[in-house]
Amino acid sequence: MPDQVKLKIEDRDVTVDKGQTILDAALKLGIIVPTFCWDPRLKPIAACRMCLVEVEKAPKLVPSCAVPAIEGMVVKVFSEKAIRGRKAVLEFILSNHPLDCPTCDKGGECILQDHTFNHGPTGSRTIEPRNRTIFDEKYKFDDFPLGPVIWLNMNRCIFCFKCTRIIKEIAGDDDLGAFNRGYHTILHGHKNRPFRSEFSGNTVENCPVGALVANSFRYKVRSWLLKKTPSVCHLCGDGCNITLWHQGQKLFRIYSRWNRNVDNGLLCDRGRFGGLYADSDRRLRNPKIRREGKLIDTTWEEALDFVAGNLESIRAKFTAAGIGVIGNEMLSNEETYLLSRIARRVIGTNNIDFRFEDKFTPSTDLNLKLLYFLVKRIPFSKFGEFRNHLIIGTDTEVTHPIMTLWLKRAISSGRSKCYAAYHRKTDFTLHPVESIEYFPQGEYNFLLALYSALKGKSIDESALASGVASTLIQRWAELLKGSKTLLLAGEALYNNPRGSENIDLLKAICDLLGEGSVINIPYDGSNYLGNLLWGATPGILPGGSQNDEENRSIICKEWKCDNLPEAGGMDTSQMLTAASEGKMGALIFFGSDPVGFYPDREIATKAVQNASFKVACETFLTETGKLCDAVLPLAPFPECSGSLISSEGRLQFFEKAFDPAYSSAEGWRIILRLAQRLGFEGDYSSPSEIWSEMASIADKCGKVDYKQSQYGGQFLKMDFAARAFSNLDGFQSSPLPSPTAEFPMILTYGASVYQKRNLTAYAESMDKIDPGPKLYINPDNAAKMKLYEGDTVRVSSTKGSLTMKSAFDYRIRPGTVFIPTNFQEAEFNSLLSSKSDLTFVKIERL
Amino acid sequence: MTNKILFKYIDHPDQDKIATYIENGGYLALRKALKEFKPEELVELIKKSGLRGRGGAGFPTGLKWSFLPKNMNKPIYLIINADESEPGTFKDRQLMEYNPHQLLEGTIIAAYAIKCHLVFIYIRGEFAYCAQQISRAIQEASSHGFVGKNILGSGFDLDIHIYRGGGAYICGEETSLMESIEGRRALSRQKPPFPAIEGLWACPTIINNVETISNIPHIINNGAEWFASIGMAKSVGTKIYCLSGHVKRPGNYELPMGVSLRELIYEYGGGIIDDYALKAVIPGGSSVPILRADEIDVKMDFESLAEKGSMLGSAGVIVMHDGTCMVAALQKLVKFYEHESCGKCSPCREGTNWMNKILKRMLAGEGRPEDVDLLYDVASNIIGNTVCPLGDAAAMPVMSFIRKFRDEFDNICGGGKPYGTISFPFR
């Protein structure tokens, strides 16, 4: 074969593709060549020289990680010369390495230790004192904090440059570099700027020695004492495969589990360090019920009886339609299904939803349209096959950090181009990406302009309404026309007053682009898709079918009941509005916190206060929980089992690492016990029993084929009927309301890159990365207001006002301000009103 | 002192001005090359002339040029390596300061021969005056139409850029030099791919030394046979020998290849200062193995020196007289390499540091008898195990010093006093 080469390694023949290295060939034969600086994801640099092998006729030893295999090559890995060379290299590396293994966090899992054990010299020939690099005298052990989460001990560094290469080549950032020359080389961030890439934790995981260590793991425990449990990250829709390192009921760290199709061994700092929130000692420990106006600790029996008794009496008083269930998108499939079952079958209500952060909850029709796009999912690993990527209405670096790495990889391969449209610049658009910033909530006008431009119609009006120069949109239309494009539609498209029209437009745009163009919807949330499919919305039944007569009868047969509540349940907004008017009897919050996150604090608070009975099931006591009549401690993900469907459409199961700590309990167990008290006859002993019941429903509904097995989760095949998309001829641009003289700025809000709701703030060291809520403002606007960075400002809207520190961010569109939503204490939603689409604010310096 | 080629007009005032240069026959070769030769013929001509790289390795220039891939749609770059940092070598500086147009003319011809339209002249950071001279020469040349669009009506376009280094020895190594131009830390790259296939910005790149390129106009003017007739059979042409150290008349001497080292030191250099006896000579810049006083009856060309176990290198001849302590001299050398190692490869980064520590210990009187063997072993562990030749360059002097002056090392490690009173010529 012309593109294959045959060579001999240690007298064994091996054939590899042209361009593969000697090391690849050796690995193919199962011959382990020791390496430090080699990583299959990075370009080889051959710095450590640990992989030296002897090649016949070559004058010197060659580094096998960098030298391509050549036809007829004869390689000797274990010849005397090669062994001597590697031993020499190891001696050099050790000559200045401090032998502080007993106190080094890497001890026991250190590659240098392993290689020394296997290949190294038995003694040391150095008698000179070892070189020390001391950055700051005040730290013991010569280490110092490189950034908020990473500590560096330069003495231990063996200069494999993996960290700088990961940050540069994979994350595309320039936050970490090597300075100086020779043995004076040091790793450092920019001068006077801490090292804080969103992917900084990967440097720690991939450091072959203990030079880079994480703040959260430093001097805590010996790695060999920890048990490892495979799991799946819950903090975004990427579904990265992780390993939980734990001892007893204590979670120490989260490492990647290397799924080549999903994460490629990389994790973001939110998942790696934020996931440690489960280990916080501020968790809810016991069930609480309200007695004489106070929440007091009680036992599970008493709490569940209290909740069940109250729900029974509410059902008698208000009918079942007076009870509402609000879950959240992080619940596993099993929990969602059970919650849907208890709501529909046991309580008898269709009032169920899982979205409580959205102002414009998608309607059933829109949900079904969104599900239709799932029929053609594109796995992350196939992103590189698309000529163009059009990303609209999302900051992918925040919502899907690892998906963004695949996008960056597609760009850096030179075959793909990215186009990102959002209401501000993002970290991702700092990379070679074409970016457009439209008005906040200008998605509809922007899509209409792009659609018209592709159609060759006039776009002046819609471009003006979207706040983008029409020439720019024309240019995009020209560049995108006819090319195979992957459209990534962000949350801002469907969580929008014109969500349905946006999706219609997106579909039309996709049809106008080149052959093979596909729409993918990266859902924001670890199990958004599972929640849609397993019935956590009023209009969709478990199994993903629409809530109509025919489908209800299928479910009835499975659930062995006569009838299910008729269609027409309320979604979160409707439930909260009804409850605030005193029309709801009971609200059940399952991991949800509307008071903290529903974009109208007034309504959410009133709703919780005015409902006759409310119960919250949560890990940490939230603002909502404080107002509830009963609070049940929910175990976080390391203590639960179940399955998640990532935004990519991958079904992944995870096992619990240990039993729930304190008195908390797994979600499915809480729902089950509550259901049994309300008259549910069934029983499950584990989530897998629930799953087998779900599987039979899925088979009957025929929407999801979960059986196609694949390494690293099953990539679901889905079958949803196409919905009728509207005729776009009548679509007119709709100018957005402009700010008033009194409230001149537009308020935007969203997650910040390091945080997931208020959960991650409980993780150790996350408070150091992202130390609190700030008002982000464009420096141009700030200059006009004579505002300096760090000034305390008052932000006021018609609804209320907040006081916080200001920070500059030139990525924000002038005329808008941004508040991260992840901080409970910020109460950002007290500024918002569910009645108006856009919120206008004024900023005053205090 | 006859037959000077490169230094023919070195004493001529205003040779650095284009008018004088043209008056003395300058840019004739360029006209001839553009008019009478096709690029391929020029490569053949240089091949036939037997011109070898003057930077140190002595690789045939024409052969290097012919390695460029044919029919490639990538641009080809030419880099002139003017990052002359080898201790004991100072020939390129003089060529650039006093005869910059000779270099430019050679550069333009070379670029024409390899079909390159963008040349970088990488000048060592400390050579501020050279950069000034070259920059002025480029301006003059372009105002005469020798650089720029459609040179002399031939349709050949060329831009020449000056890139000034930041003062690192490693940048003289071709792959690090390219990394430096690309804007990164100068860490050498693993070869293959060789620069001629994948060099600057992954495009085919030719890197030549200043002295090599300066020879080209003369080859065009006088023919390949003329050039091949000068010097030895395989090492042809003249060579600028940089004579330094304990000699009476240090300096640059342009002599035909194959002049004897003894003649160079005693006849041209005027002998050893203060009429000391000769102790040792480093014949080709600090990186090459040292020669003892009884070995100086050697012809100074690539082959003859290789036979003696040394190298011509960049022909930086460093002379040491009888009063020199070889341990101290070696420590000075190793300290240089320790300071200049880029830090990429473990053997070089750690090895040079370790060798310097051992030598410093020896000089402080704390050497152990086994340290001599240890030092030799450390050096032999560096050789061949690094990406670029800097590791070899640091290890070769150590090994040769120990081989040839072992008694001094043994003496100092056995508790003896350092030999000699006068320090090494380097400061």
Side-chain angles (χ1 to χ4, degrees):
Chain A
M1 274 175 275
D3 46 357
Q4 290 216 309
V5 289
K6 206 171 150 194
L7 66 159
K8 231 184 178 88
I9 301 179
E10 287 293 305
D11 290 331
R12 286 162 70 187
D13 287 321
V14 62
T15 313
V16 290
D17 293 342
K18 207 169 184 177
Q20 282 196 295
T21 59
I22 301 175
L23 188 70
D24 294 330
L27 286 175
K28 204 173 171 185
L29 284 177
I31 297 171
I32 306 287
V33 184
T35 57
F36 288 113
C37 69
W38 173 77
D39 188 306
R41 296 163 298 186
L42 301 168
K43 284 182 208 129
I45 60 165
C48 70
R49 318 304 285 180
M50 195 58 217
C51 64
L52 291 174
V53 294
E54 190 180 352
V55 173
E56 241 171 48
K57 286 178 195 144
K60 312 199 277 186
L61 297 176
V62 302
S64 57
C65 73
V67 175
I70 295 167
E71 182 71 41
M73 215 176 215
V74 180
V75 180
K76 286 183 187 139
V77 181
F78 301 113
S79 71
E80 202 179 319
K81 192 179 166 194
I83 288 175
R84 191 187 127 90
R86 290 200 295 267
K87 199 170 259 185
V89 169
L90 212 41
E91 185 183 23
F92 284 128
I93 289 174
L94 286 167
S95 70
N96 271 317
H97 190 82
L99 299 177
D100 59 350
C101 305
T103 58
C104 175
D105 285 312
K106 202 77 177 183
E109 50 174 8
C110 171
I111 298 177
L112 182 58
Q113 280 183 338
D114 295 351
H115 287 352
T116 309
F117 181 78
N118 286 326
H119 312 275
T122 45
S124 171
R125 294 193 287 173
T126 45
I127 56 166
E128 292 84 6
R130 277 141 213 265
N131 297 335
R132 281 176 77 187
T133 313
I134 303 169
F135 286 97
D136 200 333
E137 292 283 353
K138 76 172 188 251
Y139 296 107
K140 260 193 269 179
F141 311 120
D142 297 357
D143 50 2
F144 88 112
L146 204 55
V149 280
I150 311 287
W151 284 64
L152 171 66
N153 185 333
M154 203 56 224
N155 299 342
R156 294 181 189 147
C157 182
I158 59 160
F159 304 96
C160 67
F161 301 105
K162 259 188 193 171
C163 47
T164 56
R165 288 186 295 153
I166 282 175
I167 293 299
K168 191 156 182 82
E169 287 178 29
I170 296 178
D173 295 335
D174 53 1
D175 300 39
L176 186 69
F179 293 82
N180 299 350
R181 194 168 61 201
Y183 74 96
H184 297 290
T185 306
I186 54 162
L187 301 168
H188 211 284
H190 289 279
K191 210 175 180 184
N192 302 328
R193 218 174 86 188
F195 166 49
R196 50 182 313 162
S197 163
E198 299 92 276
F199 302 98
S200 65
N202 294 305
T203 59
V204 174
E205 183 173 338
N206 288 291
C207 183
V209 289
L212 290 160
V213 281
N215 198 16
S216 54
F217 190 69
R218 201 170 152 258
Y219 301 132
K220 286 249 172 85
V221 70
R222 306 306 297 173
S223 61
W224 59 83
L225 296 175
L226 300 180
K227 274 179 77 177
K228 291 185 269 185
T229 306
S231 187
V232 178
C233 182
H234 280 54
L235 294 175
C236 80
D238 286 337
C240 297
N241 292 198
I242 54 174
T243 308
L244 305 172
W245 295 63
H246 56 93
Q247 185 185 25
Q249 285 184 324
K250 190 161 171 57
L251 180 64
F252 278 95
R253 69 173 173 196
I254 295 171
Y255 263 20
S256 175
R257 185 153 55 91
W258 272 77
N259 187 334
R260 269 166 218 283
N261 297 316
V262 180
D263 47 53
N264 216 358
L266 301 158
L267 292 180
C268 63
D269 282 3
R270 171 159 34 133
R272 183 185 299 273
F273 301 121
L276 298 176
Y277 76 83
D279 192 46
S280 169
D281 51 7
R282 285 180 282 167
R283 265 170 61 178
L284 268 176
R285 300 186 178 215
N286 293 304
K288 289 173 196 284
I289 55 174
R290 195 171 290 279
R291 285 272 158 81
E292 291 152 7
K294 267 189 193 156
L295 281 174
I296 51 161
D297 286 359
T298 177
T299 60
W300 271 104
E301 291 296 315
E302 202 179 342
L304 287 172
D305 286 342
F306 175 75
V307 174
N310 272 299
L311 286 177
E312 286 284 8
S313 60
I314 296 286
R315 188 158 60 172
K317 200 169 144 197
F318 282 85
T319 74
I323 300 178
V325 180
I326 304 177
N328 85 81
E329 83 287 353
M330 286 163 76
L331 295 183
S332 69
N333 292 323
E334 289 79 359
E335 287 164 342
T336 305
Y337 169 76
L338 218 52
L339 204 58
S340 170
R341 184 162 178 176
I342 181 182
R344 293 202 159 94
R345 169 82 176 83
V346 181
I347 299 174
T349 176
N350 256 333
N351 301 335
I352 180 166
D353 204 348
F354 66 98
R355 292 168 286 211
F356 60 95
E357 289 175 283
D358 302 357
K359 201 188 264 185
F360 314 100
T361 320
S363 64
T364 302
D365 181 53
L366 182 53
N367 278 334
L368 287 165
K369 273 182 191 169
L370 294 180
L371 281 176
Y372 165 66
F373 295 127
L374 295 176
V375 174
K376 263 195 207 162
R377 297 300 286 175
I378 304 300
F380 296 157
S381 49
K382 298 231 162 81
F383 276 12
E385 291 172 9
F386 287 84
R387 178 75 191 80
N388 288 319
H389 298 92
L390 178 60
I391 304 150
I392 307 172
T394 179
D395 180 354
T396 49
E397 195 122 338
V398 171
T399 58
H400 294 77
I402 298 299
M403 185 186 85
T404 312
L405 290 186
W406 287 96
L407 285 172
K408 284 178 185 170
R409 184 165 145 167
I411 308 171
S412 61
S413 75
R415 289 191 293 271
S416 302
K417 277 195 83 176
C418 270
Y419 299 81
Y422 196 36
H423 62 67
R424 63 187 160 99
K425 282 193 166 64
T426 62
D427 275 346
F428 181 53
T429 56
L430 302 181
H431 293 89
V433 171
E434 295 253 352
S435 101
I436 275 182
E437 297 89 48
Y438 47 69
F439 281 139
Q441 268 178 28
E443 286 84 9
Y444 168 74
N445 292 320
F446 170 73
L447 285 169
L448 185 61
L450 187 60
Y451 168 73
S452 311
L454 284 164
K455 273 271 192 190
K457 285 194 252 177
S458 153
I459 64 162
D460 293 343
E461 212 176 305
S462 45
L464 186 69
S466 69
V468 185
S470 56
T471 46
L472 202 52
I473 297 179
Q474 295 279 18
R475 191 178 118 80
W476 274 34
E478 261 163 47
L479 287 167
L480 289 168
K481 208 165 202 169
S483 68
K484 188 179 171 188
T485 305
L486 178 66
L487 292 95
L488 294 167
E491 185 213 25
L493 249 62
Y494 48 89
N495 176 12
N496 192 293
R498 286 173 169 272
S500 193
E501 285 117 308
N502 284 345
I503 297 300
D504 291 349
L505 277 166
L506 193 71
K507 174 80 170 57
I509 289 171
C510 180
D511 292 343
L512 286 174
L513 295 177
E515 208 189 320
S517 295
V518 177
I519 297 174
N520 261 18
I521 298 176
Y523 292 107
D524 188 6
S526 56
N527 200 25
Y528 198 104
L529 200 45
N531 273 281
L532 276 181
L533 288 177
W534 296 110
T537 52
I540 297 176
L541 291 172
S545 44
Q546 196 178 349
N547 191 350
D548 57 23
E549 194 89 26
E550 190 192 336
N551 293 323
R552 272 202 299 276
S553 68
I554 299 176
I555 303 285
C556 277
K557 241 180 249 164
E558 286 295 314
W559 284 354
K560 300 188 182 67
C561 60
D562 298 334
N563 62 323
L564 288 174
E566 298 280 308
M570 291 188 271
D571 63 23
T572 306
S573 305
Q574 291 160 337
M575 276 189 260
L576 291 177
T577 314
S580 67
E581 290 158 5
K583 289 179 194 156
M584 291 291 281
L587 287 174
I588 301 171
F589 302 108
F590 214 90
S592 48
D593 177 15
V595 176
F597 293 93
Y598 182 70
D600 190 333
R601 198 180 183 91
E602 195 188 332
I603 284 195
T605 316
K606 259 194 208 160
V608 180
Q609 279 166 347
N610 291 353
S612 311
F613 179 73
K614 48 267 176 184
V615 51
C617 188
E618 55 199 18
T619 309
F620 298 97
L621 191 62
T622 61
E623 298 289 308
T624 312
K626 282 175 192 162
L627 299 174
C628 282
D629 296 320
V631 185
L632 308 175
L634 178 68
F637 74 96
E639 299 160 17
C640 303
S641 308
S643 63
L644 297 173
I645 304 176
S646 73
S647 67
E648 197 190 12
R650 205 178 282 278
L651 174 67
Q652 303 188 106
F653 288 86
F654 59 96
E655 285 296 320
K656 67 177 174 187
F658 41 85
D659 286 331
Y662 313 121
S663 291
S664 58
E666 295 116 300
W668 65 273
R669 214 183 279 274
I670 299 174
I671 304 168
L672 180 65
R673 295 289 171 256
L674 198 55
Q676 283 169 339
R677 278 174 172 72
L678 290 169
F680 177 61
E681 314 83 22
D683 196 3
Y684 308 98
S685 62
S686 70
S688 59
E689 273 181 34
I690 308 174
W691 175 256
S692 53
E693 187 181 310
M694 292 159 74
S696 87
I697 288 184
D699 285 343
K700 297 267 162 33
C701 296
K703 304 286 185 201
V704 186
D705 179 8
Y706 58 90
K707 288 183 194 110
Q708 186 201 20
S709 183
Q710 208 176 20
Y711 166 73
Q714 294 149 24
F715 195 70
L716 296 180
K717 266 194 182 163
M718 308 204 196
D719 179 25
F720 291 99
R723 306 291 298 177
F725 290 93
S726 1
N727 182 7
L728 305 180
D729 292 341
F731 278 24
Q732 293 290 329
S733 62
S734 79
L736 297 164
S738 351
T740 55
E742 195 191 346
F743 297 107
M745 309 286 277
I746 304 174
L747 175 70
T748 61
Y749 55 92
S752 69
V753 67
Y754 293 105
Q755 307 283 4
K756 174 68 185 176
R757 281 213 281 281
N758 57 346
L759 291 176
T760 46
Y762 288 98
E764 193 193 334
S765 78
M766 286 311 273
D767 52 342
K768 289 200 186 95
I769 299 187
D770 210 351
K774 277 181 185 159
L775 176 88
Y776 292 92
I777 184 166
N778 190 297
D780 290 350
N781 285 122
K784 277 179 203 148
M785 280 184 247
K786 296 206 169 65
L787 198 66
Y788 293 95
E789 194 151 24
D791 281 352
T792 309
V793 291
R794 187 193 291 127
V795 197
S796 350
S797 73
T798 48
K799 296 284 278 189
S801 69
L802 292 178
T803 307
M804 52 172 67
K805 290 250 186 295
S806 68
F808 288 177
D809 192 343
Y810 63 92
R811 292 169 302 182
I812 288 168
R813 194 187 161 94
T816 63
V817 291
F818 177 82
I819 299 181
T821 58
N822 309 92
F823 300 93
Q824 215 170 37
E825 66 272 25
E827 301 183 2
F828 78 99
N829 53 357
S830 60
L831 295 175
L832 307 174
S833 158
S834 62
K835 295 200 175 62
S836 58
D837 294 354
L838 275 172
T839 309
F840 302 114
V841 291
K842 66 176 172 198
I843 315 287
E844 293 158 290
R845 185 151 69 102
L846 293 180
Chain B
M1 287 253 202
T2 52
N3 277 340
K4 281 204 280 193
I5 301 172
L6 303 177
F7 276 176
K8 192 170 176 189
Y9 296 104
I10 205 78
D11 302 327
H12 199 293
D14 297 338
Q15 178 67 9
D16 55 338
K17 307 272 187 320
I18 197 161
T20 324
Y21 182 70
I22 290 175
E23 209 172 283
N24 290 335
Y27 287 113
L28 279 179
L30 176 63
R31 284 172 205 280
K32 188 174 169 191
L34 291 180
K35 221 173 259 170
E36 295 174 19
F37 289 93
K38 282 195 189 120
E40 294 77 20
E41 293 169 357
L42 274 175
V43 176
E44 277 310 305
L45 183 85
I46 299 299
K47 247 190 204 174
K48 226 166 71 189
S49 74
L51 174 65
R52 292 171 70 172
R54 304 296 200 231
F59 195 82
T61 308
L63 193 61
K64 195 188 231 181
W65 291 1
S66 65
F67 285 157
L68 283 172
K70 306 272 179 307
N71 306 324
M72 210 181 190
N73 52 5
K74 280 182 181 175
I76 294 170
Y77 295 115
L78 172 65
I79 299 173
I80 309 299
N81 186 347
D83 190 79
E84 179 180 54
S85 339
E86 180 80 8
T89 313
F90 36 84
K91 60 192 173 57
D92 296 346
R93 183 174 70 182
Q94 205 164 4
L95 284 172
M96 288 188 282
E97 283 177 0
Y98 294 95
N99 209 345
H101 283 288
Q102 180 176 266
L103 171 65
L104 276 194
E105 190 179 2
T107 304
I108 302 162
I109 297 168
Y112 174 69
I114 63 173
K115 299 175 190 161
C116 150
H117 301 287
L118 186 57
V119 176
F120 292 92
I121 303 184
Y122 190 98
I123 301 180
R124 180 178 169 183
E126 291 89 332
F127 285 179
Y129 183 56
C130 292
Q132 210 178 317
Q133 287 286 69
I134 297 278
S135 153
R136 198 173 47 79
I138 293 174
Q139 272 176 22
E140 284 179 344
S142 48
S143 65
H144 278 71
F146 298 136
V147 177
K149 294 255 176 260
N150 193 11
I151 296 167
L152 302 175
S154 65
F156 174 64
D157 303 337
L158 181 67
D159 270 334
I160 301 182
H161 283 267
I162 291 179
Y163 193 99
R164 289 186 60 189
Y169 173 65
I170 188 67
C171 290
E173 196 274 327
E174 52 185 15
T175 54
S176 316
L177 189 154
M178 293 188 301
E179 290 276 307
S180 170
I181 292 183
E182 288 179 17
R184 291 199 283 271
R185 292 180 87 217
L187 302 183
S188 47
R189 295 180 194 166
Q190 178 71 30
K191 290 188 275 190
F194 287 94
I197 312 294
E198 225 174 82
L200 195 59
W201 292 298
C203 296
T205 306
I206 293 291
I207 299 164
N208 282 133
N209 180 261
V210 169
E211 192 189 345
T212 318
I213 291 291
S214 297
N215 269 310
I216 287 173
H218 305 288
I219 299 174
I220 306 292
N221 275 335
N222 301 316
E225 291 78 15
W226 163 81
F227 191 77
S229 69
I230 306 168
M232 308 291 285
K234 280 187 179 165
S235 309
V236 298
T238 59
K239 179 81 193 81
I240 301 172
Y241 297 98
C242 316
L243 194 57
S244 65
H246 301 146
V247 283
K248 282 184 180 153
R249 285 199 302 271
N252 279 326
Y253 294 91
E254 187 184 8
L255 299 164
M257 282 277 193
V259 67
S260 114
L261 184 53
R262 180 179 295 279
E263 196 185 338
L264 188 66
I265 294 169
Y266 286 99
E267 199 166 306
Y268 297 102
I272 312 297
I273 50 167
D274 299 343
D275 294 323
Y276 270 94
L278 178 67
K279 184 171 192 182
V281 187
I282 301 178
S286 64
S287 311
V288 309
I290 195 166
L291 296 176
R292 272 199 310 260
D294 55 351
E295 291 172 312
I296 61 165
D297 288 309
V298 61
K299 289 202 163 105
M300 291 287 282
D301 64 76
F302 293 110
E303 279 70 32
S304 313
L305 275 166
E307 265 172 43
K308 283 272 180 188
S310 188
M311 287 155 72
L312 180 61
S314 55
V317 181
I318 304 169
V319 180
M320 293 175 221
H321 69 46
D322 213 8
T324 316
C325 170
M326 297 317 275
V327 184
L330 183 61
Q331 194 265 331
K332 285 260 161 69
L333 267 184
V334 169
K335 190 181 159 204
F336 170 80
Y337 289 107
E338 181 211 36
H339 184 248
E340 295 295 343
S341 166
C342 78
K344 181 176 174 176
C345 307
S346 319
C348 173
R349 179 188 64 241
E350 303 292 346
T352 49
N353 181 227
W354 191 2
M355 292 194 301
N356 189 25
K357 279 179 182 171
I358 296 174
L359 282 162
K360 274 204 292 207
R361 202 152 43 81
M362 285 181 181
L363 286 173
E366 291 161 20
R368 304 167 298 169
E370 64 266 34
D371 278 342
V372 186
D373 284 329
L374 175 65
L375 186 62
Y376 191 88
D377 200 39
V378 171
S380 67
N381 278 343
I382 299 175
I383 275 202
N385 288 348
T386 56
V387 168
C388 79
L390 195 145
D392 302 352
M396 277 190 300
V398 176
M399 292 169 80
S400 70
F401 269 64
I402 295 179
R403 262 201 310 268
K404 296 195 171 152
F405 300 96
R406 171 119 201 170
D407 48 341
E408 271 189 49
F409 286 86
D410 282 340
N411 171 44
I412 214 166
C413 288
K417 281 221 163 97
Y419 176 81
T421 47
I422 294 164
S423 71
F424 186 60
F426 291 165
R427 261 173 273 271

